[in-house]
Amino acid sequence: MEEQKLLNETAVSLLENFGELGTIQAKQESEVKVLEVDSEQLTTRLNQLGAICTFNGNRQVCAYDSKDKKIINSNQLLRLTISDATKLTLHINQNDYSHKRVVKVSKIPNDQSEILIAQLNDLGYFPITDVITERIAFELPGLNSSKMIELNIDIFPEVPAFLEIDLDTLKDSGYTLESLLNALGLSNNRIGYMGTEDIHTLYGKDYFQVYAVKKQKEK
């Protein structure tokens, strides 16, 4: 089973400890980021195109690691996200986007998040970054099918807002990436196949420094 094979290649099968809390999924990372968007203008345009807003609120995003940085030193990233639900994700091949994969335990009720955090702590993993971000999530109907395209506007404190497009949901929607960007008024924006940490690097920000837990507490 592919999911099990991936888990065995990661930090001592870490996510096996949380399978009972939610569904374990593994997939190739398939997203494109559109940089420096105007969140208000883009929200208006999406509404005009008939998009449905599925989430609009804050998210707490934390990276976890051991004291000896076992996760990061293995080119992986363990991330806990708390918003309308709690999600634990393990990013494999974190620094190579073309081979990046994500293993996640998804849709854990928030009232179980403390259980998950306690289990992480018991295994020797603690937060190394902690940031509150804003997200506006949409589902946009395709042009010639009932397929919905998943789009997220993300607003982090240290970088301009950006749009995340799920390329798996873009397939067979009737849109190409180019035509979708045109429809959204974003044809002149810079795009990139990169993670959030890489976006911060583009602006001269070290994600793991600006959102470090120690730095956050000092503020």
Side-chain angles (χ1 to χ4, degrees), residues 13-217:
S13 302
L14 177 64
L15 295 184
E16 286 184 326
N17 292 279
F18 309 112
E20 62 187 30
L21 293 177
T23 303
I24 295 180
Q25 302 172 339
K27 70 172 187 174
Q28 180 82 30
E29 187 87 322
S30 183
E31 301 167 346
V32 64
K33 306 293 199 302
V34 186
L35 306 183
E36 299 184 17
V37 302
D38 184 309
S39 59
E40 292 186 5
Q41 290 183 6
L42 183 53
T43 295
T44 298
R45 183 56 182 154
L46 283 163
N47 287 331
Q48 292 171 346
L49 292 172
I52 300 169
C53 182
T54 58
F55 177 76
N56 186 348
N58 290 337
R59 302 188 306 152
Q60 182 180 11
V61 183
C62 304
Y64 275 71
D65 209 338
S66 58
K67 291 182 179 179
D68 59 358
K69 302 294 177 66
K70 179 188 299 183
I71 300 292
I72 289 179
N73 289 339
S74 299
N75 194 20
Q76 299 167 10
L77 177 69
L78 181 64
R79 179 184 292 156
L80 179 73
T81 304
I82 302 175
S83 56
D84 54 336
T86 297
K87 179 174 66 174
L88 182 70
T89 55
L90 183 63
H91 298 247
I92 304 167
N93 297 324
Q94 169 68 10
N95 297 325
D96 182 0
Y97 196 84
S98 62
H99 295 94
K100 185 175 179 180
R101 298 184 69 85
V102 176
V103 182
K104 67 180 179 180
V105 180
S106 60
K107 296 183 179 179
I108 300 170
N110 282 338
D111 60 6
Q112 296 188 44
S113 63
E114 293 300 324
I115 299 174
L116 190 151
I117 291 170
Q119 290 180 325
L120 283 170
N121 294 163
D122 288 344
L123 289 167
Y125 296 97
F126 300 92
I128 59 172
T129 67
D130 187 354
V131 58
I132 301 297
T133 76
E134 298 177 53
R135 168 166 283 190
I136 312 173
F138 288 93
E139 291 185 345
L140 175 67
L143 291 176
N144 53 14
S145 72
S146 59
K147 193 166 187 180
M148 305 293 278
I149 306 168
E150 294 180 8
L151 307 164
N152 298 313
I153 303 172
D154 282 327
I155 305 170
F156 279 74
E158 297 289 339
V159 296
F162 57 90
L163 174 68
E164 178 183 274
I165 302 173
D166 186 303
L167 295 178
D168 285 337
T169 59
L170 181 63
K171 295 176 183 176
D172 304 319
S173 67
Y175 284 103
T176 63
L177 178 57
E178 181 180 7
S179 66
L180 177 60
L181 293 175
N182 285 334
L184 296 176
L186 300 174
S187 57
N188 293 324
N189 288 63
R190 183 178 179 181
I191 68 171
Y193 297 86
M194 63 184 73
T196 302
E197 297 77 21
D198 297 323
I199 291 176
H200 282 71
T201 300
L202 287 177
Y203 296 98
K205 306 283 187 177
D206 184 324
Y207 183 97
F208 296 97
Q209 289 185 5
V210 296
Y211 303 131
V213 169
K214 182 178 179 180
K215 182 178 287 292
Q216 294 291 323
K217 289 179 178 179

